[in-house]
Structures are given as structure tokens and as C-alpha cells.
Amino acid sequence: MYTRLEEVIHFVFKAFKGKKRIKEDIDLSFHSICVGTMLKEIGMNEDIVITGYLHDIIEDTNYDYEYLKNKYGEVIASNVMYLSENRSIKDFKERKLEFINRLDSQDNDELIVVEIADKLHNLLSDYELYKRDGRDALATLSTTYEMNKWYYFEMLNLFEKRVSNNKLLDRYKEIISIYFN
């Protein structure tokens, strides 16, 4: 019988089966596992670690809020929902602003820490590409280097407003200073 965390990790691998990260040939589940692990390593509670493992499930798979609610409870399902972008907003900047404002409007700073881990891992994943290709590695299919720079600094403003004394935030600041200065 799996422990609660083992079962969540098993589910993450099943949910992302066959899906790859955009910029590297690695399973998408790797990102979710890294985010959850980062949270576990800094001592976050189990519900927040699970939220980290599951943070992209609604956004990037066919599983929805109701499924997560039935499987993991309302708290975790709601956390994951808060951390999911509204994909019906097609414009990059509008979608990101809606997401930032929604995150800022909720009062659970632990969700902000999950988002720090998420964004930190996204940036860390690009590091080898950045060393090889420079700024070009930070553009995506949907946006430019400059727009990503804007977004990551907007996220930093939110993070610093809501969280202090956090190792993940320190790492986030370090990597954006490398990428965007």
C-alpha cells in the first residue's frame, strides 16, 4: 500500500504519461516532481507538498477540479485550481495579469511559495539552454524574452510582497538576476 505522497507521485506519472516538456525531451511529470520535492525540502506541510506535485494537473491534463476534489479533498483541489492559469484568456499578458491578481487576492501565502517553486523550476530547467543560446533560450513559442522578463519580475514583486525569509525565493532572485540583467 502506497503512502499518501507515494500515491500522489504515482498519479502524477500516470496523469502526465506521454507528455513532454516543451524545451527538453523529458517527461512533464519531472517538473511536478521537482516542485513538490523543493517544497518538501524546505519543510512545507504535506498538503502544500501535494499541491506542489499536483499544481499543473488541471492546467495540463484532462483531470479537473472535481476529480481532484474526490481523490484528494477540497483543500488540495482548490489549491491546484488557484494555481491554474485561465487558458480561455488567449493574450499572454492579460492571462498572466489575471493569474497574478488572483494569486494576490487569496490569503494563503503557502500557495505563493508553491508558485515560487514552480517558477524557479521553470527557470532552472532553461539554464543549460541559456548557457548555450543566451537570451534566445528564454523566449517561448507563445512569447518573447522581453515579455518573459516582465512576467518573472511581476511574479517577483508578488513573491516579495507576500513571502520573506525563504530559500526558494532567494534562489529565484539569483536566477532572474542571471537571466534578465
Side-chain angles (χ1 to χ4, degrees):
M1 178 189 310
Y2 287 135
T3 67
R4 188 173 182 219
L5 287 179
E6 290 166 346
E7 192 285 321
V8 168
I9 291 168
H10 182 257
F11 171 70
V12 166
F13 277 95
K14 280 180 26 182
F16 287 113
K17 185 175 182 176
K19 295 179 182 278
K20 299 286 187 184
R21 288 188 56 90
I22 292 171
K23 293 183 183 178
E24 56 186 337
D25 186 26
I26 192 166
D27 290 343
L28 194 52
S29 56
F30 175 71
H31 170 69
S32 293
I33 299 305
C34 285
V35 170
T37 300
M38 287 175 168
L39 297 166
K40 188 171 171 53
E41 286 177 347
I42 65 166
M44 300 302 288
N45 71 57
E46 188 173 73
D47 280 353
I48 292 300
V49 171
I50 290 170
T51 297
Y53 286 133
L54 299 176
H55 77 279
D56 277 340
I57 292 292
I58 292 173
E59 197 172 295
D60 293 337
T61 73
N62 293 326
Y63 294 96
D64 61 10
Y65 171 84
E66 287 301 319
Y67 183 89
L68 293 181
K69 181 180 169 187
N70 290 335
K71 190 165 182 73
Y72 300 109
E74 188 170 357
V75 169
I76 288 173
S78 294
N79 287 350
V80 173
M81 193 68 177
Y82 259 111
L83 297 170
S84 299
E85 288 187 8
N86 183 345
R87 295 289 179 143
S88 70
I89 302 172
K90 298 302 180 201
D91 180 77
F92 177 88
K93 192 169 186 177
E94 282 180 45
R95 185 175 65 252
K96 299 300 184 183
L97 281 171
E98 186 278 334
F99 180 65
I100 291 166
N101 291 331
R102 181 163 32 91
L103 269 181
D104 195 24
S105 71
Q106 58 80 39
D107 61 0
N108 184 350
D109 289 344
E110 291 176 323
L111 291 183
I112 304 298
V113 177
V114 175
E115 196 58 27
I116 293 170
D118 175 27
K119 297 305 174 248
L120 173 61
H121 187 259
N122 285 342
L123 291 167
L124 292 171
S125 294
D126 288 339
Y127 189 68
E128 292 304 316
L129 290 172
Y130 177 78
K131 287 192 322 189
R132 187 188 72 207
D133 300 336
R135 295 171 49 141
D136 292 343
L138 302 175
T140 65
L141 297 173
S142 61
T143 194
T144 64
Y145 168 88
E146 289 300 326
M147 191 58 71
N148 273 326
K149 178 179 178 179
W150 165 83
Y151 176 58
Y152 283 108
F153 275 101
E154 287 296 313
M155 293 302 288
L156 176 61
N157 291 337
L158 172 63
F159 297 160
E160 289 182 322
K161 176 178 161 184
R162 299 288 296 274
V163 175
S164 60
N165 229 6
N166 182 284
K167 291 178 184 180
L168 298 179
L169 180 55
D170 293 341
R171 290 179 70 195
Y172 181 88
K173 289 179 192 177
E174 178 183 358
I175 199 154
I176 66 167
S177 73
I178 293 168
Y179 285 173
F180 298 117
N181 283 330

